[in-house]
Amino acid sequence: MTRMAGDSRAAANAATVLRTVLEHGPVARSAIARLCGLSPAAVSRQTTGLLRSGLLRELPGPADGVGRPRIPLDLHTGPVGGPVAAGLHIGVPASTFSLVDLRGRILARRSFPHQGRPPAGLSAEITAELGRFLAAFDTGRPVLGVGAALGGWVDPDTGTVVRHPALRWQRKPLGAELATALGLPVRVDNHARAVARAEILFGRPEARRSLVHLFIGNVVDAAFGIEGTVHQGPGSAAGDVAHLPVPRSPTPCPCGRTGCLQATASDAALGAEAVRRGIVPDPSVNLLVDAAATGDPRADRLLRERARAVGRAAALLLDVFNPAVMVVTELASVLHEGYLEEIRGAAAAFSHVCDDPGRIVGPHAGPAVLPEAAATVLLSRVFRDPFGIA
Ligand SMILES: [Zn+2]
């Protein structure tokens, strides 16, 4: 027991040192000790282990003979030997593969469209394509593992997709399947939580105090983080906001009510409405955003209607959680600031607590939000337990 308690304390100290270097690096050992409150001896012990594992590296330091305590350390993001994490975001129309360094920077990415393919063989096709991507971008840098993110109900503790209606997956052991096929450590999580983790690690500092993330795609879901920890709850079921009521929306929902968030504002609902109004030939939000960008006022009007529905839902979440930062991932507002302003305006009008809608922001990675977030499912484990990922 004593040994186990000591091991978990050492792991916690290593994680503290690694996150201090993430936040302040390049930084010398003496400054790490001052910044994170560990003893110089503990910092020295942990940095030795982190250097040996390749997560940290020493940079050229002052050459005045003052010795090791002054040599700056940084996360090992160098092109020779700097470790990377692979990311897999599984969407309904397409999946995205990525390679990301320890600061969340995307080194490579590729999209794999798979709309309409039969769900039975889909995960095997995605896995094979991810294997080809990793082989194509093999630069000799160590791959720490794979982070996989997708919508629906995902249990990260077991790597299981509990329920993903759009892909017709139930109790699917996705993590184990990927690990067996690729021979790498794998972590799986819901994509709304994955984006929240990426904001906490790599985004605005205030996101570490508290944040709510609202994800609007084909699936609509949310995540909540406080003091740097993303909430999962029993069975990791937190975050289902598909049936959050949107005031003033008359749209019928399959659940039998009207005005549920997902039925009103999902990409699928928006695409169908755009086709119904004759704006685009296919139910694609990308086509709709393109149409608005090239001056179609009907496309712009429909995107603003959705932005206001999203803003009203954001107001409800703001009132419940009062987070320091509210991150909204929604395609039009990620690409064009005007739709983010529309979301902010509706949120401010409907919220009872929010008189500073500037805290509603897009994801810090912009259009790279999903490839970064997927890899962060793995990286957030590395930053919590640097030696425990294998
Ligand atoms: Zn509903």
Side-chain angles (χ1 to χ4, degrees):
M1 284 304 285
T2 310
R3 185 178 152 74
M4 283 176 68
D7 284 352
S8 71
R9 189 164 56 245
N13 287 352
T16 299
V17 168
L18 199 61
R19 285 198 305 269
T20 304
V21 177
L22 169 67
E23 193 170 349
H24 300 280
V27 60
R29 287 173 179 77
S30 53
I32 294 171
R34 198 171 58 246
L35 287 162
C36 73
L38 292 174
S39 72
V43 168
S44 177
R45 201 160 44 241
Q46 296 308 330
T47 53
T48 300
L50 292 166
L51 285 163
R52 197 177 297 137
S53 72
L55 294 170
L56 293 184
R57 63 172 168 165
E58 289 183 331
L59 299 183
D64 55 1
V66 290
R68 291 173 58 79
R70 297 279 295 277
I71 295 171
L73 300 176
D74 205 356
L75 300 179
H76 192 349
T77 54
V80 180
V84 297
L88 164 62
H89 178 260
I90 302 177
V92 175
S95 291
T96 307
F97 313 129
S98 54
L99 279 177
V100 169
D101 75 10
L102 291 175
R103 287 198 175 277
R105 289 179 296 223
I106 293 180
L107 307 172
R109 62 186 282 187
R110 179 189 288 169
S111 178
F112 174 48
H114 49 64
Q115 179 101 52
R117 297 199 191 197
L122 184 58
S123 69
E125 287 186 68
I126 291 170
T127 305
E129 197 65 26
L130 173 58
R132 284 190 277 277
F133 168 80
L134 293 176
F137 287 95
D138 182 7
T139 56
R141 293 171 70 160
V143 179
L144 296 170
V146 179
L150 69 170
W153 179 0
V154 180
D155 183 355
D157 294 337
T158 60
T160 304
V161 181
V162 181
R163 195 169 64 207
H164 192 306
L167 293 175
R168 285 184 265 164
W169 288 353
Q170 289 235 22
R171 301 251 156 228
K172 184 177 181 54
L174 180 67
E177 289 176 10
L178 287 168
T180 302
L182 299 167
L184 288 167
V186 176
R187 293 292 183 277
V188 184
D189 205 351
N190 165 274
H191 61 192
R193 283 198 293 262
V195 172
R197 293 188 203 288
E199 296 298 322
I200 286 169
L201 270 186
F202 306 120
R204 297 163 186 82
E206 57 271 32
R208 288 169 207 165
R209 296 208 303 275
S210 56
L211 91 160
V212 167
H213 171 232
L214 175 58
F215 182 92
I216 307 287
N218 279 299
V219 179
V220 172
D221 43 21
F224 171 56
I226 187 156
E227 302 295 343
T229 301
V230 176
H231 180 66
Q232 290 180 199
S236 302
D240 188 339
V241 293
H243 305 278
L244 199 70
V246 179
R248 294 186 191 172
S249 165
T251 312
C253 176
C255 78
R257 296 200 302 258
T258 55
C260 294
L261 180 57
Q262 186 164 289
T264 302
S266 72
D267 281 357
L270 187 70
E273 181 64 15
V275 170
R276 200 186 65 76
R277 295 188 191 182
I279 304 171
V280 291
D282 298 310
S284 154
V285 174
N286 282 302
L287 285 180
L288 182 65
V289 171
D290 287 349
T294 50
D296 185 334
R298 300 168 305 162
D300 179 62
R301 197 177 313 123
L302 182 54
L303 287 170
R304 286 182 189 281
E305 284 174 24
R306 166 156 94 165
R308 285 195 292 277
V310 171
R312 293 195 291 271
L316 295 174
L317 294 170
L318 274 170
D319 287 358
V320 172
F321 293 105
N322 192 28
V325 186
M326 169 120 204
V327 179
V328 177
T329 301
E330 186 267 348
L331 183 70
S333 59
V334 164
L335 296 175
H336 302 287
E337 179 84 11
Y339 300 112
L340 181 61
E341 285 302 327
E342 199 80 50
I343 291 171
R344 286 174 173 153
F350 277 82
S351 168
H352 296 276
V353 303
C354 176
D355 53 10
D356 56 340
R359 66 174 137 150
I360 301 175
V361 297
H364 79 274
V369 53
L370 292 176
E372 186 211 47
T376 304
V377 174
L378 194 282
L379 289 174
S380 69
R381 290 297 294 247
V382 173
F383 281 97
R384 263 183 294 157
D385 184 3
F387 306 128
I389 201 68

